[in-house]
Amino acid sequence: MSNEETRPATTTSTSIDRPPDPREAFLAGRLTEKTRAAYRQDLEAFFTFARIRTPADITDDQVTAWRNALMDAGLRPSTIARKLTAVRGLCDHLVYHRHLDRNPADPKVVRSPRVSGSSRTQGLTYGQAARLLEAPDRKTLKGARDYAILRWLLQLGLRREEVCGVTLAELGEERGHRTVRIIGKGGKDRVLPIKPSLWQATLAYLEMSGRALDREPGTAPLFTSIRQRTGE
């Protein structure tokens, strides 16, 4: 028998051998490509600054140092808050999947710079809001989703990015009332009550899309693209 026949086979490392990157799993839960791109850029900047090899190595000191560096660079408070929100979201994901014991970017530990609460945006009149809610065809999946999203925007006064960022894990219940945890400007957490009419619209969309709250991971986004659900 030749030496070639008796020589043990060698193995090469492939991408299959590498553990999945938790960052990509976290980003997959963001609804829009724009949000995913912004979060990916912010996380890459943080990892480069802190010289982090694996997400499980993140510490509060690293997050604090990055926040201070952003402030020293003259970035607007709202921009810094958005960047910190990306890191906090990733750390929440890591805690949920037991890669971290606690969130090192928790706003109680690493405070975001104060963001002005004033706004020059004009609100809608009651009639304008009513006409918006009449527009979607609720007999279709897209219409049911859009109708639910409009109710989330109108009834809770949320920004588009806040609605897009809601995951199933952030839905809860307190004293018999449905609630949702929202991470808003400045990385501030707040828990808002979900009125029955809003919850019914949400359930109608979920049922039409064939989704069940008890069969999906907590990191799954509440609202998904129609293309993602239909496989188009």
Side-chain angles (χ1 to χ4, degrees), residues 42-74:
D42 292 337
L43 292 175
E44 184 63 32
F46 170 63
F47 273 58
T48 300
F49 171 86
R51 299 181 180 179
I52 296 172
R53 293 186 177 182
T54 64
D57 295 334
I58 299 174
T59 67
D60 10 354
D61 288 341
Q62 292 170 324
V63 181
T64 300
W66 189 52
R67 179 206 60 191
N68 293 343
L70 295 175
M71 294 175 66
D72 291 342

Side-chain angles (χ1 to χ4, degrees), residues 168 203 205-216 220-224 229:
L168 299 185
L203 286 181
Y205 153 66
L206 291 173
E207 291 173 3
M208 187 174 291
S209 64
R211 302 172 63 194
L213 295 176
D214 58 352
R215 293 203 305 264
E216 296 197 32
L222 175 59
F223 296 106
T224 61
R229 301 305 306 178

